[in-house]
Amino acid sequence: MTVTLLVLAIALLLDRLVGDPPRLWNRVPHPVVLFGWAISALDRMFNGKRMRADTRRFNGVVAIGALLSMALIVGYVIHMLLLLLGWAGLAVEAVVVALFLAQKSLADHVGAVAEGLKTSGLEGGRQAVSMIVGRDPATLDEPAICRAAIESLAENFSDGVVAPALWYALLGLPGLLAYKMLNTADSMIGHKNAKYLEFGWAAARLDDLANWPAARLSILLIAFGAWRTEGKRAARTALDVGLRDSGLHRSPNSGWPEAAMAGALGIGLAGPRIYGGVRVDEPMINAGGRTVATTADIRRGLSVFGRACDGLASLAVTGALLAAVI
């Protein structure tokens, strides 16, 4: 456990500083892209339009089971091979873990929204936010663009940073790869539409389960980030709103970090949105907060996010020290 948490702390630092170098991934496929190829292959083979609904659901269960088994085996083999290299192998494993974290890439993408609004106005903001959210960008005014960016920042902090770090801490490289395979599958086939309602059912349900602990931990980390950047009152509000309004979100997990971030920044998030031309009516999270979000709020959110990431790294270091003493 000591070594695992130490590797995690190094990986968090690497990801924070380096992130995902575009030049590298323009030349070779990212591991998540490989996961996507495997998921797509099983989708083509076992999710036929003419299949019965119960057959598609059964096939989806078998498919996600096979994908997770493959990820666990690959993670275990890689870990065992790296152990043969001693400390050099652990350094390589830290690099591998960093590949599956999203601190810098998330901050860069969200920061690009604020920069797009600043330099290119509404169209620049819409183009930048379309890279990180699924709602129709043409329907968004500037406050809605800012809210969408902050919502994406909070949600992806949980499932792009906290969850992979947590599963690595619990189950090592096999757990990390299995989580990322599951999360990728959910994003590809976990949709509630005619094509994937049955085939993606197991992936969606398992992803909800896998993200459950990270979503709850994320509100504590966001509150810590709010305390470091906004003060004690903001931290207390982040916790209060996180606990009170998390259930207002359609997702059983995304509402936790979004509500905490809404409380930390004093703004309202979520509410009615348009996806693919369809209006989705949902209640506002932190309805008493400001609805007119600005680029300054995006910057404040990024500061909270940065300190929350510091808190996560500190937990890994503290855990490694405690495990060494015990």
Side-chain angles (χ1 to χ4, degrees):
M1 179 61 77
T2 300
V3 173
T4 299
L5 291 174
L6 181 59
V7 169
L8 175 59
I10 296 171
L12 287 165
L13 178 61
L14 285 173
D15 176 60
R16 190 79 174 273
L17 296 176
V18 180
D20 289 327
R23 292 183 180 179
L24 174 62
W25 304 124
N26 287 336
R27 291 175 171 80
V28 297
H30 192 282
V32 172
V33 174
L34 300 179
F35 292 174
W37 291 350
I39 295 163
S40 295
L42 293 182
D43 181 18
R44 289 191 300 269
M45 289 188 289
F46 300 113
N47 189 29
K49 293 181 180 180
R50 297 181 180 179
M51 293 178 179
R52 291 168 43 184
D54 57 346
T55 300
R56 290 199 302 271
R57 178 171 290 204
F58 175 80
N59 288 351
V61 172
V62 173
I64 195 63
L67 290 166
L68 293 178
S69 297
M70 179 181 68
L72 288 167
I73 292 170
V74 170
Y76 177 77
V77 170
I78 293 174
H79 175 69
M80 296 307 294
L81 290 175
L82 291 176
L83 280 183
L84 298 176
L85 301 178
W87 286 104
L90 293 176
V92 174
E93 181 159 324
V95 174
V96 173
V97 174
L99 297 178
F100 294 98
L101 300 171
Q103 296 167 104
K104 188 175 187 300
S105 61
L106 178 56
D108 288 347
H109 279 95
V110 173
V113 177
E115 188 63 25
L117 286 168
K118 178 181 177 181
T119 59
S120 303
L122 195 58
E123 288 307 311
R126 285 173 173 170
Q127 182 178 359
V129 83
S130 70
M131 303 298 291
I132 57 175
V133 300
R135 66 199 68 177
D136 296 345
T139 66
L140 304 178
D141 57 13
E142 182 168 335
I145 291 171
C146 293
R147 290 198 306 273
I150 294 167
E151 289 167 20
S152 180
L153 177 67
E155 179 180 352
N156 286 288
F157 170 62
S158 177
D159 61 21
V161 180
V162 181
L166 182 59
W167 283 108
Y168 178 75
L170 293 174
L171 297 177
L173 205 54
L176 172 61
L177 265 61
Y179 171 76
K180 292 302 293 185
M181 177 68 81
L182 177 60
N183 193 241
T184 305
D186 177 62
S187 68
M188 293 178 65
I189 64 174
H191 308 294
K192 293 182 179 180
N193 55 31
K195 183 176 182 180
Y196 292 120
L197 182 61
E198 301 299 336
F199 184 73
W201 172 82
R205 298 291 78 74
L206 286 174
D207 185 71
D208 287 343
L209 184 62
N211 279 297
W212 193 95
R216 278 72 183 165
L217 176 59
S218 69
I219 72 167
L220 298 177
L221 293 168
I222 289 173
F224 172 79
W227 171 61
R228 292 292 307 276
T229 59
E230 302 284 321
K232 292 181 179 179
R233 178 174 295 180
R236 189 180 303 111
T237 306
L239 287 174
D240 289 344
V241 176
L243 293 171
R244 185 192 71 204
D245 288 359
S246 58
L248 298 178
H249 200 282
R250 68 187 184 281
S251 164
N253 294 312
S254 298
W256 292 80
E258 287 190 26
M261 186 65 78
L265 301 180
I267 59 176
L269 295 177
R273 300 184 293 283
I274 298 176
Y275 295 91
V278 179
R279 180 184 173 90
V280 177
D281 288 309
E282 293 183 1
M284 290 290 293
I285 292 174
N286 193 30
R290 287 182 294 108
T291 56
V292 181
T294 67
T295 56
D297 292 313
I298 296 179
R299 299 296 184 192
R300 290 170 60 218
L302 286 168
S303 295
V304 171
F305 167 76
R307 301 294 77 74
C309 291
D310 291 345
L312 181 61
S314 297
L315 283 178
V317 173
T318 302
L321 293 174
L322 289 174
V325 171
I326 296 174

